[in-house]
Amino acid sequence: MEGKLFIDNCFALSEGVLRKSSVLISDGRIEAIGIPAPEGVTAVDARGGLISYGFADIHVHFREPGNPEKETILSGSMAAARGGYTTVCAMPNLDPVPDSPEHLEEELRIIRKDAVIQVLPYCSITKGRKGLELVDIPALKPFCAAFSDDGSGVQDEEVMRKAFRLAAENGCIIAAHCEDNSLLAGGYIHDGRWCAAHGHKGICSESEWRQIERDLRLCEETGCRYHVCHISSARSVELIREAKARGLRVSCETAPHYLVLCEDQMQEDGRFKMNPPLRSAEDREALIEGLLDGTIDAIATDHAPHTAAQKSLGLKDSAMGVVGLETAFPVLYTYLVKSGRVSLERLLETLCKGPRKAFGLPGGELKAGEKADLCIIDLEERYRIDPLTFLSKGRSTPFEGMEVQGRITKTFYNGYLVYDSAKEKTCA
């Protein structure tokens, strides 16, 4: 039947149990689940893999326009598809910064031409991401997922207050990179035991949570919909948990590296340098607890590619940022689910439904009527992470060489096969 596709021989997660299933796709949407194969329909053999709704990452850096040598919309979206992602939100640290309809159109034009999955842009909170003058939020609202100056915390409280008020009036989300510059003191890794033992300059946790504390006060004052990016500290979890208990409209994300690693795994290598930094084992435990109790809504990779030269300068001088789209699921499944810390159901929720709910995006659940944005996962395959196989232009990951279990074998976007591991390239 034209326009129909049948995915057979798969398992779906239902009430915490893996059950034999199937999915019928019609005109880019899920028509039925768990039915026998209809006659005359193109069939795809999932080979006993888990079928999941496609993941959503609300925090990626695709570098285009501005720095295509680091990543492009094409290479970034291909990497996302390889990781099981069907929707990503791309941060605004670009050139030009998407701070006006004209500048945003440069990014949108490339997305329309090259993206193999859904790529939703952010717009900046302030012009040029300089933290001084607000962008025209009402004019940009229809074309972006949220507003963020990511990579920079807005230092001026009055500027942020005005942003919150304007966003509240227009039903927009402010997504904040929280960092108080006055507390950085030239640091570039976590100010903890490893930093002191190896003679580096540290970034204190207070530089993150102090600005979260400020923003939560502004959130309560204005009623703005507020999202906290890449939290890394125990105190950040506590503040957000308390804010949610008070009924504030706040959500947050953390990244795989903060859930799996800590300062104890640091090495003298640029692939361990990101912002915020890997913090203490106690911070990591608090993040896992926040994931389990629902304080943390989503896991986002903060996929931040740089050139090999920029990441080869050691901890002090390498650029901040690591890639993560192609490693997120296997790393989290291996080190959180297989270890018994987090259920597979909760992991999938924070990769699929949680991020979409936080940003008011449709989808996230495997059910009839939803868009056929899906991925198939071989939960048994074991392998070592090899950056040379990445489709991203970025190769710097703290997970290099780790043995993991679970591989994305196929990704479908709008019912079309956009990634097939058997071919190790996108099919778009």
Side-chain angles (χ1 to χ4, degrees):
M1 299 178 189
E2 190 174 350
K4 290 183 182 287
L5 183 70
F6 186 71
I7 302 174
D8 198 8
N9 191 21
C10 61
F11 287 82
L13 191 64
S14 176
E15 298 179 345
V17 178
L18 288 172
R19 305 180 193 277
K20 195 74 183 274
S21 192
S22 62
V23 176
L24 177 63
I25 297 170
S26 179
D27 296 323
R29 291 197 171 269
I30 300 171
E31 181 176 312
I33 296 173
I35 64 170
E39 292 185 9
V41 175
T42 301
V44 174
D45 186 353
R47 300 182 181 275
L50 169 69
I51 190 158
S52 167
Y53 205 84
F55 309 151
D57 192 335
I58 49 180
H59 193 140
V60 304
H61 301 265
F62 280 175
R63 309 301 192 196
E64 193 178 28
N67 294 107
E69 73 282 2
K70 297 184 180 184
E71 193 79 287
T72 63
I73 299 295
L74 177 59
S75 64
S77 63
M78 288 170 64
R82 186 175 189 254
Y85 292 88
T86 54
T87 294
V88 298
C89 299
M91 283 295 178
N93 46 349
L94 304 170
D95 186 11
V97 175
D99 57 5
S100 69
E102 296 75 24
H103 287 167
L104 177 60
E105 178 55 30
E106 294 193 37
E107 182 183 3
L108 289 172
R109 176 182 54 79
I110 303 170
I111 290 172
R112 289 191 292 266
K113 177 172 67 75
D114 290 342
V116 303
I117 60 165
Q118 183 177 42
V119 178
L120 301 173
Y122 276 85
C123 287
S124 60
I125 297 171
T126 63
K127 293 183 179 180
R129 296 176 49 250
K130 296 179 178 178
L132 301 174
E133 184 181 357
L134 293 183
V135 301
D136 188 343
I137 287 179
L140 291 166
K141 172 193 170 183
F143 309 106
C144 67
F147 292 83
S148 180
D149 272 7
D150 188 61
S152 308
V154 176
Q155 302 303 302
D156 189 302
E157 181 171 334
E158 188 55 34
V159 170
M160 200 59 153
R161 177 178 283 107
K162 290 177 181 177
F164 272 49
R165 284 177 177 162
L166 197 54
E169 291 168 5
N170 288 274
C172 304
I173 298 169
I174 296 292
H177 171 116
C178 290
E179 189 169 43
D180 185 332
N181 291 353
S182 70
L183 298 173
L184 296 181
Y188 44 87
I189 64 171
H190 174 59
D191 187 15
R193 295 185 299 270
W194 198 92
C195 178
H198 292 81
H200 289 287
K201 290 186 177 180
I203 301 174
C204 64
S205 299
E206 187 178 358
S207 65
E208 173 180 294
W209 63 255
R210 184 66 73 186
Q211 201 164 81
I212 293 175
E213 193 174 57
R214 179 203 71 180
D215 286 354
L216 289 171
R217 178 163 41 81
L218 297 178
C219 178
E220 191 161 26
E221 177 185 320
T222 62
C224 177
R225 179 68 187 79
Y226 174 54
H227 180 79
V228 191
C229 296
H230 48 45
I231 66 169
S232 66
S233 77
R235 181 59 180 152
S236 299
V237 177
E238 290 175 3
L239 288 168
I240 294 164
R241 183 182 288 121
E242 292 164 1
K244 286 188 170 189
R246 297 200 309 274
L248 270 63
R249 302 175 68 200
V250 58
S251 59
C252 70
E253 69 192 47
T254 193
H257 37 276
Y258 305 124
L259 292 166
V260 172
L261 303 174
C262 68
E263 63 176 342
D264 298 335
Q265 284 83 43
M266 287 288 294
Q267 297 179 29
E268 292 281 356
D269 191 311
R271 65 192 178 93
F272 289 87
K273 186 178 182 182
M274 70 287 291
N275 191 21
L278 297 176
R279 298 204 186 274
S280 70
E282 293 78 14
D283 288 309
R284 180 182 60 189
E285 287 302 304
L287 291 167
I288 293 173
E289 288 303 314
L291 192 75
L292 292 171
D293 69 17
T295 300
I296 295 174
D297 303 86
I299 298 174
T301 65
D302 194 7
H303 177 85
H306 295 285
T307 66
Q310 291 168 324
K311 292 297 291 182
S312 65
L313 303 174
L315 285 175
K316 182 177 182 296
D317 296 316
S318 288
M320 293 277 198
V322 295
V323 295
L325 285 166
E326 295 168 79
T327 58
F329 180 83
V331 164
L332 293 165
Y333 179 69
T334 302
Y335 290 93
L336 295 185
V337 177
K338 296 297 290 182
S339 68
R341 298 300 308 277
V342 177
S343 70
L344 177 58
E345 189 172 30
R346 180 58 183 152
L347 175 60
L348 291 177
E349 185 177 21
T350 55
L351 291 172
C352 301
K353 187 177 179 180
R356 289 180 171 93
K357 183 179 179 182
F359 274 35
L361 303 174
E365 294 184 86
L366 195 67
K367 63 181 182 179
E370 295 286 3
K371 277 178 57 180
D373 291 358
L374 310 166
C375 65
I376 298 172
I377 311 165
D378 181 344
L379 292 177
E380 301 302 320
E381 184 173 352
R382 296 176 181 270
Y383 56 100
R384 289 192 179 275
I385 291 176
D386 179 4
L388 295 178
T389 68
F390 289 174
L391 297 181
S392 170
K393 289 188 174 186
R395 298 287 188 271
S396 186
T397 168
F399 302 124
E400 180 179 350
M402 279 191 175
E403 184 175 336
V404 293
Q405 184 173 332
R407 186 190 291 277
I408 309 300
T409 59
K410 288 178 172 57
T411 302
F412 298 84
Y413 173 61
N414 279 337
Y416 291 97
L417 182 65
V418 293
Y419 173 74
D420 186 346
S421 66
K423 300 177 181 178
E424 273 299 342
K425 64 179 181 180
T426 60
C427 304

